[in-house]
Amino acid sequence: MQHRYVPDLGDFSKFAVIDALSAQGTDRTALIWYLVDPKEVGDHHNNDGKHTAYLTQDRQGLAQCHPELYERFQSIHRTGEKHVGVYERYEVLPTINYFGEPVSYDGHALTQRAVWRTGWLKRALQATENTDMVMLDPDNGLMPDRLSIRSQSAVKYASLDECRAFYGGGQRTLVVYQHAHRQGSAAEQASRALHRLSEDLGVEREHIFALRFHRGTTRFYLVVPAKHYQCIMRSRASAIIDSDWGTRKHFSLITL
């Protein structure tokens, strides 16, 4: 996540997923931003974070899917603020616990990075205390197997070790943002990511799923339900697809 994305279309989909899967805040959620500096990761040259036209020209009927959320995003857009803290100040979804410490290796030698990242994880886990669901929001999604946690680009990913820690052995539902890339179809990418989570977290494949958001840049929300919430989470995901979100083709459900 980067501050400049506020309040773009991706963030709108993110809060829509949280609201639906938490039953409109009935289940308390922690949102781990995985904040990065675009200059540190070499992204400062692109146009990311400028997808806000949907808030002034809603040609796809997003406002009808969640009028209250849409109005809150419009209010944030009018302020011109580019900082994730604005979501908390405007109480976009008031039951969320936010963790916004940047994932930055700036000033850390290569040999120190793994230790620093472990400390960051411990502090982030504190934000999940007494929560039922945690969403991880790294720039790119799950860390590739080939990538070391000490690599500079590792700040753009959530590692499987981190996913396991936040899942807590099935005590809480885990949701992971996954950015689509060019290797394989969207369905293939989502399936590969779900398989990795299933194997690493020891969760049967039929219990995990992904919600694909089709507007703007393709993205997925990988969902591993808490052990006592498997049927409930699948029911809530199905309700998204049966609502305007699904009938208007904004979201689709991917299963294994």
Side-chain angles (χ1 to χ4, degrees):
M1 178 59 181
Q2 300 176 22
H3 287 303
R4 61 182 174 153
Y5 295 164
V6 177
D8 74 0
L9 184 57
D11 275 7
F12 184 70
S13 72
K14 186 181 310 166
F15 280 91
V17 167
I18 291 175
D19 192 51
L21 293 184
S22 69
Q24 292 73 53
T26 301
D27 298 336
R28 194 165 184 88
T29 302
L31 177 51
I32 313 300
W33 283 120
Y34 276 77
L35 276 172
V36 297
D37 183 337
K39 293 181 180 179
E40 185 177 347
V41 294
D43 286 349
H44 61 285
H45 61 282
N46 63 34
N47 290 320
D48 286 355
K50 295 185 177 181
H51 302 292
T52 57
Y54 75 101
L55 292 169
T56 54
Q57 297 177 330
D58 184 25
R59 295 190 177 97
Q60 297 170 326
L62 289 161
Q64 296 180 45
C65 298
H66 199 318
E68 296 85 359
L69 185 64
Y70 187 82
E71 289 175 6
R72 290 168 190 165
F73 266 68
Q74 281 187 315
S75 297
I76 290 171
H77 182 53
R78 285 193 289 268
T79 70
E81 290 190 60
K82 291 290 184 178
H83 191 287
V84 296
V86 72
Y87 292 128
E88 185 171 8
R89 292 199 304 276
Y90 273 72
E91 295 188 326
V92 171
L93 293 179
T95 61
I96 295 180
N97 290 355
Y98 295 93
F99 181 75
E101 180 182 338
V103 185
S104 172
Y105 288 159
D106 187 32
H108 298 281
L110 184 65
T111 55
Q112 300 172 331
R113 291 176 178 176
V115 174
W116 181 88
R117 184 79 173 241
T118 298
W120 176 91
L121 173 60
K122 289 180 179 178
R123 295 186 291 276
L125 284 168
Q126 293 176 356
T128 71
E129 293 180 357
N130 303 316
T131 59
D132 306 292
M133 182 170 74
V134 57
M135 176 178 280
L136 310 185
D137 190 29
D139 253 12
N140 287 0
L142 292 178
M143 187 178 298
D145 287 331
R146 67 182 184 278
L147 195 65
S148 166
I149 195 69
R150 299 188 300 170
S151 169
Q152 182 62 53
S153 57
V155 298
K156 301 185 71 173
Y157 298 93
S159 72
L160 286 174
D161 286 342
E162 289 163 352
C163 290
R164 195 182 313 112
F166 285 114
Y167 183 56
Q171 294 181 10
R172 63 183 66 86
T173 295
L174 174 70
V175 184
V176 185
Y177 169 85
Q178 180 68 49
H179 193 78
H181 49 72
R182 298 179 181 178
Q183 298 176 1
S185 69
E188 290 170 342
Q189 292 178 48
S191 294
R192 284 197 295 268
L194 290 173
H195 276 288
R196 292 183 68 201
L197 286 172
S198 172
E199 293 176 2
D200 196 81
L201 274 60
V203 180
E204 294 181 2
R205 294 176 181 177
E206 61 264 29
H207 295 313
I208 67 176
F209 57 89
L211 288 163
R212 178 184 175 184
F213 187 63
H214 292 263
R215 305 308 174 200
T217 303
T218 297
R219 66 200 73 218
F220 311 98
Y221 296 95
L222 311 170
V223 184
V224 187
K227 288 183 177 179
H228 61 291
Y229 256 39
Q230 290 167 341
C231 293
I232 292 173
M233 280 298 167
R234 180 59 67 89
S235 176
R236 291 176 182 175
S238 296
I240 296 174
I241 305 306
D242 292 339
S243 71
D244 282 347
W245 289 116
T247 58
R248 292 178 178 273
K249 310 299 182 183
H250 299 318
F251 280 104
S252 61
L253 182 65
I254 299 175
T255 60
L256 292 178

